[in-house]
Amino acid sequence: MGEPRLIEISPVTRVEGHGKVTIHLNSENEVDEARLHIVEFRGFERFIRGRLMWEVPVIVQRLCGICPVSHHLAAAKAMDMIVGVDQLTPTAEKMRRLMHYGQVMQSHVLHFFHLAAPDLLFGFGAPAEKRNIFEVIREQPELGKRAVLMRKYGQEIIEATAGKKIHGTGAIPGGINRSLPIERRDHFLSTIDEMLEWAQDAVKLARDYTLEHEDLVAEFGSFPSNYMSLVREGDGALDLYHGNLRALNSTGDEIFDQLPYTQYHERLIEDVRSWSYMKFPFIKELGPEVGWYRVGPLARMNTASFIDTPIANASLDELKTVTDGRPNNSTLANHWARMIEVVHCVEKIRELLNDPDLQGDDLVVTGDRRGEGIGVIEAPRGNLIHHYQVDENDQVTYCNLIVSTTHNNEGMNRAVKDVAVKHLSGHDQITEGMLNHVEVAIRAYDPCLSCATHALGQMPLQVELFNADGQLVDSKAQSV
């Protein structure tokens, strides 16, 4: 019989932001508990108060350098509501959508090729020095080139619509401040077919991995849960920019459907726990024990009735055959779903580039002033909620942000424990490769811990092993 031990992974690597994992082993080396801790805090919800409403769509982007467009657009949608605008002009609507599809495309490509691919291509237990994008480029240079150029394409779409690749200013309350010049449109059209071909190849790569590792995917961080996303009003199609809320349980039964997102607070509530700065949302009527849910690419595939672009929809049908049309509960299936969304975004970008409304000059509308605004969008990592109240001086008096990673908090914690129990229990020596299995489960959600906790920094991996007396008995460190 040994002594109880505590294993700490701090910080988690190849994710955006800071977090750590603690794994508690009992005297028989069985996992008693495993948790994902969010350990830093900056408090955007508090210090956004007092800022002028016109500044908000620009300021909130500073939450994140990976998905600033999502915060930019969610805040702009909330401010649309405050300035009394319920319907944008066609040019403003389509320019915002183009911006968003470029954002989702580049973010998904970054995650899949730069962060997740080293695990998928070389194995979860491969040496740490092997699991990085540079090794991917060295061994598969064509794949590495595509990863760079696809992300570049998405970022250039953002620059053309928002003014800058990061922290742009394109969306303003009531509309947008620019249209797309015809020469920029032609530039993007010149390579759009190549982008679509590469996106389809990426879907095949993710699909083949999932099917070829069927047993691993089925057991790795897989468990039933509820799912929630926006779907298009009326027909329930996938819609990343706008729609109503739909929530299903693990077997596909409806919890609520076509709920206007301005009523999110009537169905969702946020719980707090002492060991994390990140909250734990759940569906109010189900309670915290069973009402938690997951969001993101796989959740969207589970909740959407169909995808309104043909190539992505065919891929969705193929994904759904794996579970006979029921929701897919496998954490690793997020990668396949993520690449389906890349195809969808490229198809949507091509459709929009051929729309003359992008060259329109009717950019902004106004309406009757309101004191409250709610904007909801499907960010790359899942549902994103921005909720504001503004006083008569146009200053923000209330701010509530529920970001994608916060929605997924309970799911990520359960994935961490599931993988820890299956891959660490019963071992006298815990290797770096074993611990990377836990990180793989977290990375599958593509968490943005900066969005959830608003912290930035370098992320060297340090693992420390303590005995029951709190004495350090082993330590390993590496730079990632």
Side-chain angles (χ1 to χ4, degrees), residues 201-214:
D201 289 345
V203 169
K204 184 178 185 303
L205 179 64
R207 179 200 65 197
D208 290 351
Y209 178 88
T210 305
L211 298 179
E212 290 168 6
H213 298 82
E214 183 177 358

Side-chain angles (χ1 to χ4, degrees), residues 195-246:
M195 292 298 116
L196 184 56
E197 177 186 347
W198 291 355
Q200 290 176 260
D201 289 345
V203 169
K204 184 178 185 303
L205 179 64
R207 179 200 65 197
D208 290 351
Y209 178 88
T210 305
L211 298 179
E212 290 168 6
H213 298 82
E214 183 177 358
D215 292 341
L216 171 65
V217 171
E219 66 85 25
F220 193 89
S222 299
F223 41 82
S225 73
N226 307 311
Y227 297 94
M228 188 188 77
S229 79
L230 290 176
V231 296
R232 192 162 67 190
E233 185 175 358
D235 61 10
L238 175 71
D239 196 325
L240 300 175
Y241 177 75
H242 196 61
N244 294 323
L245 293 169
R246 172 182 287 174

Side-chain angles (χ1 to χ4, degrees), residues 161-317:
T161 52
K164 294 193 297 181
K165 293 177 181 177
I166 299 177
H167 301 155
T169 59
I172 60 176
I176 201 139
N177 60 15
R178 72 196 69 213
S179 58
L180 186 70
I182 200 75
E183 61 271 14
R184 294 292 283 162
R185 183 207 68 178
D186 292 343
H187 166 73
F188 291 127
L189 281 174
S190 68
T191 54
I192 190 65
D193 291 340
E194 188 173 45
M195 292 298 116
L196 184 56
E197 177 186 347
W198 291 355
Q200 290 176 260
D201 289 345
V203 169
K204 184 178 185 303
L205 179 64
R207 179 200 65 197
D208 290 351
Y209 178 88
T210 305
L211 298 179
E212 290 168 6
H213 298 82
E214 183 177 358
D215 292 341
L216 171 65
V217 171
E219 66 85 25
F220 193 89
S222 299
F223 41 82
S225 73
N226 307 311
Y227 297 94
M228 188 188 77
S229 79
L230 290 176
V231 296
R232 192 162 67 190
E233 185 175 358
D235 61 10
L238 175 71
D239 196 325
L240 300 175
Y241 177 75
H242 196 61
N244 294 323
L245 293 169
R246 172 182 287 174
L248 306 177
N249 66 18
S250 62
T251 59
D253 296 326
E254 176 186 306
I255 300 172
F256 55 78
D257 192 21
Q258 295 295 344
L259 175 72
Y261 65 65
T262 54
Q263 300 173 19
Y264 81 92
H265 48 286
E266 297 178 8
R267 307 302 291 268
L268 305 179
I269 193 168
E270 296 176 90
D271 195 12
V272 294
R273 298 178 193 175
S274 61
W275 43 270
S276 179
Y277 279 117
M278 189 159 61
K279 296 177 183 178
F280 290 78
F282 60 91
I283 297 169
K284 189 181 300 186
E285 62 264 37
L286 299 180
E289 293 300 318
V290 299
W292 59 275
Y293 53 90
R294 290 189 272 182
V295 301
L298 185 60
R300 291 189 285 253
M301 297 301 105
N302 288 336
T303 55
S305 300
F306 67 99
I307 300 177
D308 68 350
T309 55
I311 301 174
N313 193 58
S315 296
L316 172 61
D317 289 342

